[in-house]
Amino acid sequence: MSSTARMRHLASAPSVESAPLDEQYLSVKEAARHLGMKDERFVRRLVAERRITYSKFGTHVRIAVSVLEEYMRASVVPAVPARRRMRRAA
């Protein structure tokens, strides 16, 4: 791609909100460990399905810690109070 074509491509790209400079970014492997998983496959699936926000620096995928914490909060399933079980009549 020529430099002028690249400039036009970048100029037509949608604007992206910039993340705070003090934000901590994790690799896919580190993100998996942060979520308490041994394998990074689940995190890669979240990225591929675009279920979490991620940043791409060249070929490197990075995920902000705040995004992971927000995902964990959104994934919480509240407990349901136990029902009283009725005993069968003998």
Side-chain angles (χ1 to χ4, degrees):
M1 181 184 292
S2 70
S3 62
T4 53
R6 183 171 173 75
M7 294 289 272
R8 270 188 256 130
H9 172 72
L10 293 175
S12 66
S15 63
V16 177
E17 289 184 27
S18 60
L21 295 176
D22 60 346
E23 182 73 48
Q24 182 182 4
Y25 289 91
L26 303 175
S27 68
V28 173
K29 187 179 245 180
E30 293 168 335
R33 271 189 274 149
H34 187 78
L35 292 174
M37 300 176 183
K38 295 178 189 175
D39 192 15
E40 59 195 60
R41 186 175 180 177
F42 178 70
V43 177
R44 288 197 183 279
R45 194 175 88 214
L46 292 176
V47 169
E49 294 174 356
R50 296 188 181 203
R51 290 171 50 194
I52 60 171
T53 305
Y54 63 94
S55 299
K56 205 158 182 196
F57 302 105
T59 59
H60 303 281
V61 172
R62 297 292 184 251
I63 303 162
V65 174
S66 62
V67 170
L68 291 174
E69 290 172 356
E70 179 183 334
Y71 176 78
M72 287 190 293
R73 275 192 296 277
S75 299
V76 172
V77 178
V80 178
R83 294 184 183 184
R84 288 181 62 172
R85 293 183 68 179
M86 304 272 299
R87 293 186 181 212
R88 295 174 112 191

